[in-house]
């Protein structure tokens, strides 16, 4: 496996712009690497996939930053202090955890030409991002107070960092006394009132998907530090940790303006080795989302009036891959929302890989060969009857790993949870970025 596979994980995750930043840099450098989404339900599931899929580096976002540390071999200084990991690196089988969020905060102020030393600062939110922001500013000489709905959590964070803590009821007075306001709350959660703000304030919200606080701050003439700068600057440090070299920051910045998954056609395609759940899960996802479902192999059989085995025997693989390409193109020409279940070998053909990557959101269903061999009906899988099923599946996965990595946008694990549960999770992820039909 020559392709370096990197990822970002969280729940939800498809909103993240991290893949665009990293993949822009990989393309610029001509590096054989791909950065994808890991749509995990828990930190444990994320780390299971990290290990099984030979991922070399992974960024971590909410809500896994504080829970993932216990699953790693080595947790480095700032991450240990903050109890928050946003960067995981596999170094020769040893899993290292780092925190680059605080660097993202401090560098963003530097990039904006703002000196934080000696300034009074409020950080609202005592989760992973809030603690990182408070730590970064405190280390640069700011007078920091952490405010949190649960005061004890603010106190705990402040004790770790060596800064102040306050209750939410004190927020209006703190805003009046402070110059810098950092919000590390969930999107559209904002306890600050517009009339508390004035042009003296510098406002920095961690949410780059949209912020009520930033909207108010602009109306009041506040100085705004961009949330995308925070995302970019922490990613630059993560890149160095992943690959041992410094990226071109402006190339990574260009990735932030690239189209996101939310802007793509509402077509989901499923890939993975046989038995991973491409068809069974795909049907359920389509049903739950109100989308059309198509099995590409079935479409080919219907058009040709013969089995896939006969097509291969009579006309060869190249002919079959051309049929796949034609069927795919027909589905892309349609304006309907759909789920396409693709044959396990569709990734063997580069034109088909490119078609899927460019025209759909590609979901890679992953389960281990050991699990698949136990749950599939071997009698209906001729290829698995030619030897040890688990070994055959291992070979398939090893041989196609890089092709799946180059084709996929997001990975969902089909190892343990029920099909219905996994389909519901997939529906929820996509409806967050696309809305309901």
């Amino acid at each position: 496996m020559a392709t370096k596979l990197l990822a970002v994980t969280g729940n939800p995750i498809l909103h993240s712009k991290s893949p665009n930043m990293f993949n822009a840099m990989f393309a610029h450098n001509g590096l054989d690497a791909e950065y994808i989404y890991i749509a995990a339900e828990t930190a444990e599931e994320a780390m299971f996939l990290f290990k099984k899929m030979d991922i070399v580096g992974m960024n971590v976002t909410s809500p896994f930053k504080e829970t993932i540390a216990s699953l790693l071999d080595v947790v480095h200084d700032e991450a240990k202090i903050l109890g928050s990991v946003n960067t995981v690196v596999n170094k020769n089988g040893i899993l290292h955890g780092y925190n680059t969020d605080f660097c993202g905060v401090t560098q963003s102020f530097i990039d904006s030409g703002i000196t934080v030393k000696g300034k009074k600062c409020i950080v609202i939110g005592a989760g992973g991002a809030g603690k990182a922001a408070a730590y970064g500013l405190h280390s640069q000489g700011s007078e920091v107070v952490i405010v949190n709905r649960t005061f004890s959590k603010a106190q705990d964070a402040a004790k770790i960092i060596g800064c102040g803590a306050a209750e939410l009821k004190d927020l209006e007075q703190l805003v009046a006394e402070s110059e810098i306001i950092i919000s590390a709350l969930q999107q559209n959660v904002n306890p600050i009132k517009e009339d508390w703000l004035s042009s003296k304030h510098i406002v920095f919200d961690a949410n780059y998907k949209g912020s009520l606080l930033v909207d108010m701050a602009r109306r009041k003439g506040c100085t705004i530090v961009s949330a995308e700068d925070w995302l970019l600057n922490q990613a630059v440090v993560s890149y160095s940790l992943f690959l041992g070299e410094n990226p071109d920051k402006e190339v990574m910045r260009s990735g932030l303006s690239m189209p996101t998954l939310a802007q793509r056609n509402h077509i989901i395609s499923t890939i993975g080795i046989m038995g991973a759940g491409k068809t069974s899960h795909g049907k359920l996802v389509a049903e739950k989302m109100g989308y059309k479902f198509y099995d590409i192999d079935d479409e080919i059989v219907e058009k040709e009036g013969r089995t896939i085995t006969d097509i291969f025997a009579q006309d060869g693989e190249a002919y079959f891959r051309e049929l796949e390409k034609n069927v795919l193109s027909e589905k892309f020409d349609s304006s309907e929302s759909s789920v396409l279940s693709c044959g396990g070998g569709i990734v063997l053909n580069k034109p088909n890989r490119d078609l899927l990557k460019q025209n759909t959101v590609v979901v890679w269903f992953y389960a281990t060969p050991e699990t698949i061999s136990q749950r599939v009906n071997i009698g209906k899988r001729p290829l698995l009857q030619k030897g040890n099923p688990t070994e055959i599946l291992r070979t398939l996965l090893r041989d196609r790993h890089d092709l799946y990595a180059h084709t996929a946008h997001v990975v969902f694990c089909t190892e343990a949870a029920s099909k219905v549960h996994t389909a519901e999770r997939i529906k929820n992820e996509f409806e967050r970025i696309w809305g309901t039909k």
Side-chain angles (χ1 to χ4, degrees), residues 32 49-50 65 68 80 101 108 133 138 159 166 184 199 203 205 214 265 275 286 291 309-310 361 406:
D32 185 9
L49 291 169
F50 183 91
K65 290 183 181 183
I68 210 161
K80 189 178 294 183
D101 272 334
S108 295
H138 180 73
K159 185 177 180 180
S199 59
V203 174
D205 192 324
V214 169
N265 292 331
Y291 284 15
T309 301
D310 287 343
V361 177
H406 282 300

Side-chain angles (χ1 to χ4, degrees), residues 89 237-247:
V89 185
V237 182
S238 291
Y239 188 103
S240 301
L241 292 168
F242 292 150
L243 299 172
E245 59 185 47
N246 294 325

Side-chain angles (χ1 to χ4, degrees), residues 267-282:
I267 303 175
I268 300 167
S269 58
T270 67
I271 62 172
I273 62 172
M274 68 170 72
K278 301 182 296 294
T279 300
S280 58
H281 288 73

Side-chain angles (χ1 to χ4, degrees), residues 134-150:
Y135 178 85
L137 287 167
H138 180 73
S139 69
Q140 297 298 308
S142 291
E143 188 179 324
V144 180
V145 176
I146 299 175
V147 179
N148 196 69
R149 182 177 60 184
T150 304

Side-chain angles (χ1 to χ4, degrees), residues 47 120 145 165-166 383-384:
M47 288 311 303
K120 289 187 176 182
V145 176
L383 182 62
L384 299 185

